[in-house]
Amino acid sequence: MDAEKKRLLAQLAQMGDVVLVIDGKRFDLNDCAVIPLQTQEEAVLYFLQRIDSTMVSSVLDDGRSYQNFSKSVFIKKLDSAMDAFIAAGDTYLNRYQGICNSRICNFNCAGYSFVGNKSGAYFDLIIDTRDGVVHDVYECSDFNCDSTSVFKKVRIELDASDIPF
């Protein structure tokens, strides 16, 4: 969406209720023409797509572990991955739903592929949520996107320490 369209949406939103329709889904916009984030899950997904690990950190709970790491270690790993996307020229990560395809770990758990808008670099994450609250976030090494038109190039790993070589 270009700057002019964003400006017009902001003006309309100030005048009253505005609904934005994206891929058949309806979103009510707030006064600033922004989709309000109502749950922790929505906020984490929003900031992951915007390559903003600082905001992901601010949204996640301090007392939880993520991918079996303390929150601070997980965020450092996420930050390194985000740096790789930025270095590849990405300004945004496209998000695609799917499931884990591995029968040895999280078979059929829902998650997302996050794919760089310029590079095609990606990572696949399972985001364990209940009632909008994020309980865990972890990589998936055998992820199957619902969409068959997803173009992925180079995988960016949050944690390569599990690789046996």
Side-chain angles (χ1 to χ4, degrees):
M1 181 178 312
D2 63 28
E4 178 64 14
K5 288 179 184 173
K6 287 181 183 179
R7 187 184 66 74
L8 289 172
L9 271 177
Q11 287 177 339
L12 286 170
Q14 290 173 355
M15 293 167 56
D17 294 333
V18 175
V19 176
L20 178 65
V21 179
I22 302 173
D23 295 329
K25 295 181 184 173
R26 298 171 58 84
F27 299 96
D28 292 318
L29 302 181
N30 64 18
D31 295 12
C32 300
V34 176
I35 299 169
L37 303 173
Q38 297 179 357
T39 66
Q40 184 185 34
E41 177 185 19
E42 288 175 357
V44 167
L45 294 172
Y46 178 87
F47 293 120
L48 281 170
Q49 286 188 262
R50 278 141 189 90
I51 314 177
D52 192 340
S53 58
T54 301
M55 288 304 295
V56 171
S57 178
S58 73
V59 171
L60 290 176
D61 295 330
D62 292 331
R64 292 193 190 274
S65 63
Y66 300 94
Q67 193 166 315
N68 295 324
F69 296 110
S70 67
K71 176 185 164 187
S72 62
V73 170
F74 176 78
I75 292 299
K76 284 180 186 175
K77 291 177 178 289
L78 180 64
D79 200 33
S80 292
M82 297 294 190
D83 287 346
F85 282 110
I86 292 167
D90 295 314
T91 58
Y92 184 82
L93 302 179
N94 293 301
R95 180 179 66 181
Y96 302 94
Q97 286 185 304
I99 58 170
C100 176
N101 203 35
S102 174
R103 294 197 180 269
I104 61 170
C105 59
N106 301 299
F107 185 66
N108 276 343
C109 285
Y112 303 91
S113 279
F114 292 90
V115 183
N117 66 324
K118 304 280 189 211
S119 70
Y122 71 97
F123 58 41
D124 300 321
L125 299 177
I126 303 298
I127 301 177
D128 177 15
T129 61
R130 284 169 252 146
D131 298 322
V133 176
V134 176
H135 291 269
D136 203 350
V137 179
Y138 44 92
E139 283 183 283
C140 181
S141 60
D142 189 6
F143 192 78
N144 187 24
C145 286
D146 293 344
S147 173
T148 57
S149 63
V150 178
F151 179 70
K152 297 194 234 180
K153 279 186 163 180
V154 177
R155 181 173 176 216
I156 295 176
E157 296 185 50
L158 293 181
D159 182 35
S161 64
D162 289 336
I163 295 175
F165 34 85

